Amino acid sequence: MVFYESEFLIETEIPQNELIISRTDLSGIITYANETFCEISGYSMDELIGRSHNIIRHPDMPRSVFADLWNTIKAEKQWVGIVKNFRKDRGFYWVHTIVSGVYKNGELVEYKSLRTPIGAEDKLKYQKLYDKIRKDNGEDIRKIIYEKEI
């Protein structure tokens, strides 16, 4: 069992007019991040460039969602979905995500990801769905416990 400690169980709300953009090489290493990505994720540009995009993968996300993402983009199709991401401070944020290939002279050279905010109803819907998927797949599930120290 893996425990993720956090001083913050705080969600970062993404303003409606913001667009989070990143690009990765074909292995998922970040090659570009816009300022909005840095601001929302809590990482500096230097902390993101050259790192795996998994740096922001939230433990609530089922492995099967990312398997589907990779299978889709490797088949040269666009992937669209809802993702919960980790911030550097261990908070989180939800986004509607579109991932697709970038081609030069007909050759796939990198991937781009465009992310926008989602509404509260969708956040609740997808949290419940992802909790169920993780449970059904035998993955660790989220549990919040309040204890009284004596």
Side-chain angles (χ1 to χ4, degrees):
M1 181 176 293
V2 177
F3 292 97
Y4 292 91
E5 286 191 32
S6 176
E7 293 183 34
F8 304 100
L9 291 174
I10 296 175
E11 178 179 2
T12 297
E13 293 283 337
I14 301 169
Q16 286 300 315
N17 61 346
E18 293 293 342
L19 179 63
I20 299 170
I21 303 170
S22 61
R23 290 181 181 237
T24 70
D25 66 15
L26 299 180
S27 301
I29 303 301
I30 300 169
T31 58
Y32 170 80
N34 71 346
E35 286 298 324
T36 303
F37 185 16
C38 296
E39 184 178 323
I40 299 297
S41 71
Y43 288 97
S44 71
M45 189 74 67
D46 289 341
E47 290 174 308
L48 290 171
I49 303 300
R51 299 282 303 269
S52 170
H53 213 284
N54 290 348
I55 192 173
I56 60 166
R57 183 178 288 186
H58 196 284
D60 283 357
M61 289 299 300
R63 290 184 197 107
S64 60
V65 171
F66 290 105
D68 180 61
L69 182 154
W70 277 105
N71 289 335
T72 301
I73 61 176
K74 285 183 176 186
E76 300 186 355
K77 297 177 183 172
Q78 183 179 73
W79 185 85
V80 178
I82 304 298
V83 177
K84 184 178 188 180
N85 286 324
F86 239 165
R87 288 180 38 87
K88 181 180 178 180
D89 66 9
R90 312 311 265 174
F92 64 94
Y93 59 101
W94 285 94
V95 287
H96 176 266
T97 303
I98 301 170
V99 182
S100 60
V102 175
Y103 297 84
K104 291 188 180 169
N105 301 321
E107 182 181 340
L108 178 64
V109 294
E110 64 182 350
Y111 296 111
K112 66 180 174 185
S113 178
L114 306 174
R115 298 175 299 282
T116 55
I118 65 170
E121 286 182 20
D122 281 336
K123 292 173 191 177
L124 182 57
K125 172 185 166 183
Y126 279 92
Q127 183 68 65
K128 288 179 179 181
L129 173 64
Y130 292 164
D131 286 348
K132 180 180 181 335
I133 292 170
R134 290 181 61 80
K135 182 178 180 182
D136 291 350
N137 291 342
E139 297 177 58
D140 292 341
I141 57 171
R142 179 172 58 101
K143 191 176 208 179
I144 299 172
I145 300 172
Y146 298 96
E147 294 180 332
K148 182 176 182 179
E149 290 195 37
I150 299 175

